[in-house]
């Protein structure tokens, strides 16, 4: 009982001490100045994720950057930010800010950047009106994600004359009205993306003469019928509901360089200003089926052209040449993911600066439509002007059967063609017909072609001369099941350095690869190869993929040939013979990186077991000796057995002879000689016996 009482007293004492410790600890934490938990470096203080409810006190007077993002601050008062006359950057995003008292920011005489994104400034916007008006050095203001509508925005930006960058993205703005931005006349960048804007009143941006970048992406704008912002350099209207984009028929010089109209409902090519500087035009992910609607075709097109004429006084068919003449400065044109069934190459007659053309994922069946008969100037020309500036053509994801030689003549400087996911048919050897009616493809004569992607084209045969007189650097022939590379098919492409033949299910007889001395990267994974093509020994391979084939061992000569050049190799997924892994030794001791060694297995043929490949199982317990050695062993064993048997027989016979001689000496021949001896003959020194049964005379 005494011990139990003492133990209980000690327990109560311990609990009391713990209670005092926890109380002191919590009091210490609660009484700690939040500013002491902030990160401070020179004139910068960061107080992020500290659950603060107010601006910390005791901040240095020379502070230039203050970050209070991701806290719980609900208001800024007149006494929140004293002595911050040198502050230049202030962020309070991701708080619960609702109220900014009048003159609360007046001390920020040198402030240049304010980030108030992701707060609740919509709640008391009337009482907050004019809180930024006294900040005459303010250049950048972020009010994104504050549930602001048009009127609320006007309250906050009604008089910030120094502002050049305004972010109003991710709010609840549904319309833009004239005079809305009169209070920020020096704006150069305005972000209105991710709102619900459907209407833009005429004159909304008239006061923004310095505006260079306007972002209206992800809204609900249905039509731009009179684009008239000549001062803009960048306009983003992606992911709206645009059906048309029309510019005013004006003689003004427009400075627009980048126009993004992707992800809309455009049914035809936009009408750009006559005098423009547009270099990058993105029209991807629309529903364009014809570049220019022609009134002499479908009723749909007739309604379309009538609509154009009603709102713009423009007769599209008769002014087609004027429309395409506005493409003079285009360098990048993206028409991917539309509904084009043909592409009239004459449409690009004036695109003398075009470098990249993307027609991927359309409904193109062939590339023979190189005329535009409705255009008046076509009658004056016998041929289409070559597009000498075009370097890249992306037409993947269509249903193209062939590329006529006439098209390659139209693109004399083409360097890159992406034909992935089409149905290309190659011309047979020695075909000389190069007219546009040719229904097969040859790239012969494309002197500047360097990158060619023919992945997944159902190509069965690769004949010779297809790439004659080209300068191919990279060639992708993967995903062409059953591809048969004919002998000499790639012999003329001595400039080739990168080649992919993966996932073709090719066997050894279908890979007639020539000596490609400059080849550095080769992918032959996922085929049915048992050996590496022998002609590749002359290549200085740097990266090699042999994954998922039927290779049991690699040729030692080939491995040693590549020892000086090989850097990366992939070998997993092959049925390597565990008892024939000596070829792996030089790879393991060299600097070559076997990227998938950990997932590489080898097999023991007799036991039908597999183990991870490493240096310890080059000769395992299931390995058998070579056939010649096994035969030699068997011969030696048989010889030893035969010798032992012979010696046994000789010893046995000698014992019998000794026994017989003893019998003769004892004169007991007749009675002691066994019955099985039948005769006795004397021939020289040899004695032979003939013995009958006992008692016989």
């Amino acid at each position: 009982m005494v011990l139990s009482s003492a133990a209980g007293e000690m327990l109560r004492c311990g609990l009391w001490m713990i209670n005092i410790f926890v109380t002191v600890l919590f009091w210490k934490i609660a009484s700690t100045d939040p500013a002491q938990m902030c990160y401070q470096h020179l004139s910068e203080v960061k107080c992020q994720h500290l659950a603060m409810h107010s601006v910390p006190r005791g901040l240095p007077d020379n502070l230039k950057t203050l970050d209070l993002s991701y806290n719980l601050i609900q208001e800024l008062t007149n006494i929140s930010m004293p002595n911050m006359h040198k502050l230049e950057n202030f962020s309070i995003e991701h708080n619960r800010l609702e109220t900014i008292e009048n003159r609360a920011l007046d001390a920020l005489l040198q402030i240049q950047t304010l980030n108030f994104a992701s707060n609740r400034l919509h709640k008391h916007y009337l009482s907050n009106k004019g809180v930024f008006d006294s900040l005459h050095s303010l250049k950048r203001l972020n009010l994104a994600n504050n549930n602001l509508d048009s009127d609320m925005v006007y309250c906050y930006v009604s008089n910030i004359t120094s502002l050049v960058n305004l972010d109003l993205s991710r709010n609840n703005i549904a319309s833009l009205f004239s005079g809305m931005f009169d209070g920020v006349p020096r704006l150069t960048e305005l972000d209105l993306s991710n709102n619900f804007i459907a209407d833009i009143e005429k004159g909304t941006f008239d006061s923004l003469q310095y505006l260079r970048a306007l972002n209206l992406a992800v809204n609900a704008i249905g039509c731009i019928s009179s684009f008239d912002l000549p001062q803009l350099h960048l306009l983003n209207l992606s992911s709206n509901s645009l059906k048309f984009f029309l510019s005013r028929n004006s003689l003004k010089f427009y400075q627009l360089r980048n126009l993004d109209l992707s992800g809309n409902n455009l049914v035809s090519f936009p009408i750009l200003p006559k005098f423009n500087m547009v270099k990058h035009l993105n029209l991807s992910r629309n529903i364009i089926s014809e570049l220019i609607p022609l009134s002499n075709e479908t009723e749909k097109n007739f309604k379309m052209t009538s609509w154009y004429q009603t709102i713009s006084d423009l007769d599209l068919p008769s002014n087609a040449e004027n429309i395409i003449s506005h493409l003079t400065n285009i360098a990048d044109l993206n028409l991917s993911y539309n509904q084009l069934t043909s592409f009239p190459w004459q449409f690009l007659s004036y695109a003398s600066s075009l470098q990249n053309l993307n027609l991927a994922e359309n409904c193109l069946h062939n590339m023979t439509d190189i005329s535009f008969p409705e255009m008046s100037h076509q009658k004056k020309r016998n041929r289409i002007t070559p597009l000498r500036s075009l370097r890249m053509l992306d037409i993947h994801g269509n249903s193209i059967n062939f590329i006529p030689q006439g098209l390659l003549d139209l693109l004399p400087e083409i360097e890159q063609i992406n034909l992935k996911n089409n149905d290309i048919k190659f011309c047979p050897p020695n075909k000389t017909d190069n007219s546009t009616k040719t229904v097969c493809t040859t790239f012969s004569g494309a002197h500047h072609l360097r990158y060619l992607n023919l992945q997944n084209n159902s190509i069965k045969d690769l004949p010779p001369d297809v790439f004659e007189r080209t300068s191919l650097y990279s060639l992708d022939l993967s995903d062409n099941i059953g591809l048969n590379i004919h002998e000499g098919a790639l012999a003329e492409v001595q400039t080739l350095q990168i080649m992919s033949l993966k996932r073709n299910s090719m066997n050894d007889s279908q890979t007639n690869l020539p000596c490609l001395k400059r080849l550095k990267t080769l992918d032959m994974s996922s085929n049915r190869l048992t050996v590496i093509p022998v002609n590749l020994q002359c290549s200085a391979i740097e990266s090699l993929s042999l994954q998922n084939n039927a290779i049991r061992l690699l040729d030692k000569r080939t491995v040693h040939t590549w020892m000086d050049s090989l850097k990366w190799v992939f070998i997993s997924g092959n049925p390597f013979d565990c008892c024939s892994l000596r070829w792996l030794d030089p790879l393991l001791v060299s600097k070559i990186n076997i990227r998938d060694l950990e997932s590489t297995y080898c097999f023991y043929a007799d036991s039908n077991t597999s183990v991870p490949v490493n240096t310890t199982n080059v000769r395992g317990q299931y390995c058998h000796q070579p056939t010649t050695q096994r035969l030699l062993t068997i011969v030696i064993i048989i010889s030893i057995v035969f010798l032992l048997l012979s010696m046994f027989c000789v010893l046995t016979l000698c014992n019998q002879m000794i026994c017989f001689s003893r019998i003769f000496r004892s004169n007991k021949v007749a009675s002691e000689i066994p019955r099985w001896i039948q005769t006795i003959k004397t021939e020289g020194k040899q004695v032979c016996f003939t013995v009958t049964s006992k008692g016989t005379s």
Side-chain angles (χ1 to χ4, degrees):
M1 290 296 292
V2 175
L3 290 175
S4 298
S5 177
E9 193 67 25
M10 292 178 64
L11 179 60
R12 283 192 296 273
C13 182
L15 292 174
W16 179 73
M17 292 295 293
I18 292 173
N19 185 38
I20 293 177
F21 175 77
V22 171
T23 302
V24 171
L25 179 63
F26 274 99
W27 176 82
K28 182 67 176 176
I29 294 175
S31 62
T32 300
D33 186 352
Q36 296 181 5
M37 296 186 289
C38 299
Y39 167 80
Q40 182 173 348
H41 177 69
L42 299 178
S43 60
E44 179 182 5
V45 173
K46 292 184 178 181
C47 305
Q48 302 169 323
H49 301 280
L50 295 177
M52 290 181 172
H53 288 83
S54 62
V55 179
R57 298 181 181 181
L59 296 173
D61 294 341
N62 65 340
L63 194 62
K64 290 187 177 182
T65 299
L66 175 60
D67 190 347
L68 301 177
S69 57
Y70 296 94
N71 283 289
L72 305 173
I73 301 173
Q74 292 187 359
E75 64 176 349
L76 293 177
T77 64
N78 294 332
I79 60 174
S80 295
M81 306 176 68
N83 304 322
M84 293 191 182
H85 305 294
K86 296 184 179 181
L87 193 65
E88 297 178 358
N89 306 292
F90 178 43
S91 177
I92 193 172
E93 66 172 325
H94 286 281
N95 276 267
R96 299 178 180 179
L97 188 63
E98 300 175 2
T99 304
I100 305 174
E101 287 188 4
N102 190 25
R103 307 183 67 83
L105 304 177
D106 286 1
L108 307 180
L109 300 178
Q110 298 186 31
I111 196 71
Q112 295 185 21
T113 302
L114 284 179
N115 188 350
F116 282 66
S118 301
N119 281 284
R120 304 171 180 177
L121 293 180
H122 67 290
K123 287 193 173 183
H124 305 291
Y125 71 97
L126 290 176
S127 61
N128 293 337
K129 183 178 181 180
V131 293
F132 304 119
D133 292 356
S134 62
L135 306 179
H136 301 299
S137 298
L138 186 61
K139 297 290 189 290
R140 291 168 290 277
L141 176 61
N142 190 343
L143 297 176
N145 193 25
N146 271 282
N147 296 312
L148 303 176
D149 61 21
S150 303
D151 294 328
M152 297 173 187
V153 169
Y154 180 72
C155 281
Y156 281 109
V157 301
S158 59
N159 188 25
I160 317 177
T161 56
S162 60
L163 200 64
V164 297
N165 186 306
L166 177 59
D167 190 345
L168 295 170
S169 62
R170 295 175 291 136
N171 278 290
N172 291 326
I173 304 172
S175 61
L176 304 177
F177 54 84
S178 179
M180 182 174 174
F181 300 108
D182 287 355
V184 284
R186 300 189 66 84
L187 271 188
T188 60
E189 297 181 31
L190 176 58
D191 191 345
L192 290 162
S193 62
N194 288 276
N195 278 279
F196 304 93
I197 301 172
D199 299 314
I200 302 176
E201 187 177 304
K202 184 178 180 180
T204 296
F205 304 109
D206 284 355
S207 61
L208 305 179
Q209 296 301 310
Y210 299 96
L211 191 62
R212 297 295 179 263
L214 177 59
N215 190 350
L216 287 163
V218 195
N219 278 284
I221 303 171
C223 173
I224 299 294
S225 59
S226 183
F227 173 71
D228 190 23
L229 295 173
Q231 74 274 27
L232 274 186
H233 288 189
L234 184 151
L235 176 59
N236 188 347
L237 283 163
S238 61
S239 301
N240 277 272
S241 302
L242 290 174
K243 291 185 178 180
F244 303 98
F245 181 93
L246 306 177
S247 302
R248 283 187 176 182
N249 190 8
S250 171
L251 297 179
K252 293 180 181 179
F253 185 80
Y254 287 75
Q255 300 184 55
L256 192 64
R257 272 94 162 164
N258 294 273
L259 177 58
D260 191 343
L261 299 174
S262 61
N264 281 282
N265 296 318
L266 293 175
V267 295
S268 63
F269 204 85
I271 298 181
L272 302 177
K274 182 176 182 180
F275 300 104
N276 69 80
M277 298 180 65
V278 176
K279 292 185 176 182
H280 308 280
L281 179 57
N282 190 348
L283 301 175
S284 63
R285 300 184 185 279
N286 281 279
I287 54 174
I288 300 174
S289 57
E290 292 179 340
L291 297 178
I292 295 180
L294 305 175
S295 60
N296 60 349
E297 292 190 4
T298 64
E299 181 180 355
K300 175 183 176 181
N301 286 336
F302 179 77
K303 292 180 179 179
M304 191 184 305
T305 55
S306 299
W307 189 90
Y308 267 109
Q309 193 167 356
T310 300
I311 64 174
S312 63
D313 296 326
L314 180 64
D315 183 4
L316 276 179
S318 62
N319 286 277
E321 184 173 353
N322 293 332
I323 295 171
I324 68 170
S325 66
H326 301 167
L327 305 179
T328 305
N329 295 307
I330 293 287
D332 298 293
L333 177 56
N334 190 342
L335 281 161
S336 61
Y337 293 91
N338 277 279
Q339 299 177 10
L340 292 171
T341 56
S342 63
F343 186 81
W345 287 91
Q346 192 64 52
F347 183 80
L348 300 175
S349 294
Y350 289 91
S352 57
S353 301
L354 187 62
Q355 297 181 15
N356 304 311
L357 176 60
N358 192 340
L359 298 171
E361 300 295 341
N362 275 274
C363 306
L364 300 172
H365 291 280
N366 60 65
M367 301 299 290
T368 58
D369 189 1
I370 55 177
S371 64
F372 206 157
E374 289 78 11
M375 294 167 55
S376 59
H377 72 283
Q378 173 64 20
K379 299 178 181 179
K380 302 177 184 179
R381 300 183 181 183
N382 295 324
R383 63 184 182 85
I384 302 173
T385 304
L387 300 174
R388 298 188 180 278
S389 60
L390 194 65
R391 298 293 186 270
M392 189 279 290
L393 175 62
D394 190 345
I395 45 181
H396 81 264
N398 285 278
S399 301
I400 299 172
N401 300 115
F402 63 97
I403 303 295
Q405 188 66 35
L407 178 59
L408 294 177
D409 294 338
L410 182 65
L411 312 175
E413 304 294 327
I414 194 71
E415 296 179 358
Q416 181 176 348
I417 300 179
N418 187 353
L419 276 162
K420 177 182 176 181
N421 298 336
N422 279 282
D423 195 18
I424 293 297
K425 300 294 186 296
F426 285 127
C427 294
N430 303 320
K431 188 170 183 62
T432 57
D433 184 8
N434 291 330
S435 67
T436 57
K437 296 181 180 180
T438 305
V439 292
C440 61
T441 300
T442 178
F443 296 97
S444 176
H447 301 287
H448 298 281
L449 186 60
R450 289 175 56 78
Y451 300 88
L452 180 59
N453 190 339
L454 292 167
Q455 181 181 354
N456 191 26
N457 269 269
S458 302
I459 300 172
K460 299 299 181 183
D461 292 287
L462 184 63
D465 305 327
V466 170
F467 306 117
E468 186 180 10
R469 292 177 292 130
T470 64
S471 302
L472 279 179
Y473 174 87
S474 174
L475 176 61
D476 192 340
L477 288 165
S478 57
D479 293 303
N480 290 287
I481 306 300
L483 175 65
N484 182 21
I485 300 178
H486 290 248
E487 188 173 355
L490 297 171
E492 65 273 14
V493 197
Q494 289 302 315
T495 55
L496 197 62
Q497 295 190 33
I498 302 173
M499 182 165 60
S500 178
L501 297 170
K502 62 184 177 182
R503 295 189 298 269
N504 286 331
S505 297
M506 303 169 67
N507 57 39
D508 298 333
S509 63
Q510 294 173 314
T511 53
N512 294 297
L513 299 180
C515 172
L516 299 170
K517 294 184 178 180
R518 297 187 182 181
L519 191 64
K520 294 182 178 180
T521 301
L522 177 61
D523 191 342
M524 303 185 72
S525 60
S526 299
N527 283 285
R528 296 182 295 168
L529 303 178
T530 61
V531 295
I532 301 176
V534 64
N535 286 337
L536 291 178
Q537 291 183 9
C538 71
S539 305
I541 299 291
E542 294 181 359
S543 177
L544 176 66
S545 180
L546 297 170
Q547 291 177 312
N548 302 318
N549 275 280
I551 301 174
R552 291 179 57 83
L553 73 161
L554 295 182
D555 180 63
K556 290 183 179 179
R557 181 181 301 177
T558 304
V559 172
H560 282 285
T561 301
W562 290 339
M563 287 299 296
D564 294 333
S565 62
L566 200 59
K567 297 178 181 178
W568 302 281
V569 63
F570 302 83
I571 59 174
S572 64
N574 283 282
F576 292 121
D577 186 356
C578 292
C579 301
S580 303
L581 289 177
R582 290 300 184 191
W583 55 267
L584 188 60
D585 291 343
L587 296 180
L588 294 174
V589 299
S590 67
K591 296 181 180 180
I592 298 172
N593 189 349
I594 306 178
R595 305 296 292 270
D596 56 351
L597 183 61
E598 294 182 357
S599 58
T600 302
Y601 286 76
C602 66
F603 294 83
Y604 291 104
D606 291 349
S607 62
N608 197 27
T609 58
S610 63
V611 295
V613 168
N614 53 57
T615 56
T616 61
N617 59 21
V618 174
R619 291 295 179 95
Q621 59 179 330
Y622 299 105
C623 291
H624 294 283
Q625 298 173 345
T627 303
T628 54
Q629 189 171 352
R630 290 203 304 267
L631 290 176
L632 180 60
T633 302
I634 293 173
V635 170
I636 293 174
I637 292 174
I638 293 175
S639 300
I640 293 174
V641 171
F642 181 77
L643 180 60
L644 291 175
L645 289 175
S646 301
M647 292 177 63
F648 177 77
C649 292
V650 170
L651 291 174
T652 303
L653 183 58
C654 290
N655 287 334
Q656 291 177 351
M657 295 297 292
I658 293 170
C659 180
F660 293 154
S661 63
R662 289 178 179 175
I663 293 173
F664 283 129
R665 288 192 187 101
S666 59
N667 297 318
K668 296 180 180 180
V669 175
S671 60
E672 299 295 336
I673 295 177
R675 296 182 178 180
W676 51 270
I677 299 176
Q678 299 295 321
T679 60
I680 299 176
K681 294 182 179 179
T682 301
E683 295 179 359
K685 296 181 179 180
Q686 184 178 358
V687 178
C688 296
F689 296 87
T690 300
V691 180
T692 60
S693 60
K694 192 174 181 178
T696 305
S697 58

